[in-house]
Amino acid sequence: MAIIVTLDVVLAKRKMKSKDLAKKIGITTANLSILKSGKAKAIRFTTLEAICKALNCQPSDILEYREH
Amino acid sequence: MKKLSLLKAIIDYIWIITCIPLSIILPFFCIYMFIDSSVLSFVFSNNIIGTKTSILSLQYFSIGVILTIFTALYCFYLFRKTLVYFKNAMPFHTSVIYNFNIIGQLLIAVSLVSIMLLILFVVVLHQEFNFVTNLGIIPYLVLLSLGLFFMILSQVFKMAKHTKQENDLTI
């Protein structure tokens, strides 16, 4: 997919573990893993909002468009 | 899910009472009709046997009829197998989609072969077929429609599976 999820980069910058983020935003670690690995087909606005709130970042910080 | 259990019970009952005995009796009948042609009276009326048509052509027609019955039995077996997936709450399993498609194709084949056998018997040999007087041509068209319905159902399940997958991968 042309949309790359750079959530792991932001997590590393914030020195936060995936488990903690999953707990904070109320999704399972399995779903967060799907999102991080780029297997997810879509992301809900509510999830995106929760991630941005938890990591204090913008959607553009965790989503990137790369042309193949 | 009570409806599913009821359907499964009915299908199992038909399978045990009709399909299993038929799958045992028909091969024996297939062989025995070449030994004793009088058993052909089970398929054709008595006034046909030994009058206008040769026994051999009637035997070949009987083989055609038996083959279509066997195909229909296999369809029934696949449907029974598919119901198990429904009972196990796996309606979008790949086997369900595949089975529905196969059932559809086989039912279409059965109806077309049956229509061809009927036309061959009635038009070419100018004979009367018991099936025609008893049921008419409508059951074959219903079977054809049922086959197409199963193929459409397979496509619908394929689309539903895709939608479910997308829904599952929406975070």
Side-chain angles (χ1 to χ4, degrees):
Chain A
M1 227 161 72
I3 301 291
I4 309 294
V5 181
T6 54
L7 190 62
D8 44 356
V9 178
V10 183
L11 276 172
K13 276 181 189 169
R14 302 285 191 279
K15 287 174 185 168
M16 193 189 270
K17 284 180 182 172
S18 300
K19 210 172 92 177
D20 298 331
L21 179 68
K23 205 176 173 184
K24 217 169 179 180
I25 62 174
I27 64 167
T28 61
T29 45
N31 274 347
L32 192 66
S33 172
I34 289 170
L35 189 64
K36 275 170 64 185
S37 61
K39 284 177 187 168
K41 294 267 183 188
I43 181 165
R44 289 189 190 92
F45 278 134
T46 47
T47 314
L48 193 61
E49 190 189 326
I51 293 170
C52 289
K53 198 176 174 183
L55 296 173
N56 192 25
C57 65
Q58 291 298 312
S60 59
D61 295 330
I62 52 170
L63 296 174
E64 197 180 298
Y65 173 71
R66 272 185 217 161
E67 211 168 343
H68 289 294
Chain B
M1 280 301 182
K2 271 182 184 175
K3 288 168 197 165
L4 182 63
S5 300
L6 184 68
L7 178 67
K8 182 88 173 62
I10 293 168
I11 296 294
D12 283 347
Y13 174 77
I14 297 169
W15 177 255
I16 293 162
I17 298 296
T18 315
C19 298
I20 294 174
L22 264 181
S23 57
I24 296 165
I25 293 165
L26 285 178
F28 284 108
F29 179 83
C30 214
I31 297 161
Y32 195 70
M33 71 180 174
F34 286 99
I35 301 163
D36 183 11
S37 57
S38 64
V39 290
L40 286 169
S41 59
F42 285 114
V43 183
F44 308 97
S45 61
N46 279 329
N47 57 342
I48 293 172
I49 303 164
T51 52
K52 295 171 187 172
T53 321
S54 69
I55 294 291
L56 195 68
S57 61
L58 286 177
Q59 285 164 338
Y60 284 131
F61 271 109
S62 299
I63 288 173
V65 171
I66 287 164
L67 282 176
T68 55
I69 292 170
F70 262 117
T71 316
L73 285 179
Y74 182 63
C75 288
F76 204 80
Y77 166 74
L78 285 180
F79 184 64
R80 195 171 165 262
K81 218 171 113 180
T82 309
L83 283 182
V84 177
Y85 284 103
F86 285 138
K87 210 171 181 187
N88 294 337
M90 291 191 287
F92 302 112
H93 196 272
T94 321
S95 299
V96 174
I97 297 162
Y98 178 77
N99 284 352
F100 275 158
N101 195 34
I102 291 291
I103 290 170
Q105 286 174 358
L106 288 177
L107 284 181
I108 290 169
V110 165
S111 64
L112 291 178
V113 168
S114 300
I115 290 168
M116 270 160 55
L117 279 172
L118 202 73
I119 292 168
L120 224 75
F121 209 85
V122 175
V123 179
V124 179
L125 295 171
H126 304 286
Q127 292 287 354
E128 197 185 351
F129 196 51
N130 264 358
F131 241 37
V132 182
T133 50
N134 291 340
L135 301 165
I137 201 156
I138 298 159
Y140 305 114
L141 290 177
V142 171
L143 211 61
L144 189 75
S145 310
L146 199 68
L148 287 169
F149 174 73
F150 267 103
M151 286 179 84
I152 292 165
L153 205 63
S154 167
Q155 286 294 312
V156 169
F157 269 70
K158 205 175 180 179
M159 283 191 278
K161 191 192 173 188
H162 184 73
T163 310
K164 191 185 175 293
Q165 252 175 2
E166 279 204 344
N167 190 46
D168 287 346
L169 289 172
T170 299
I171 312 297

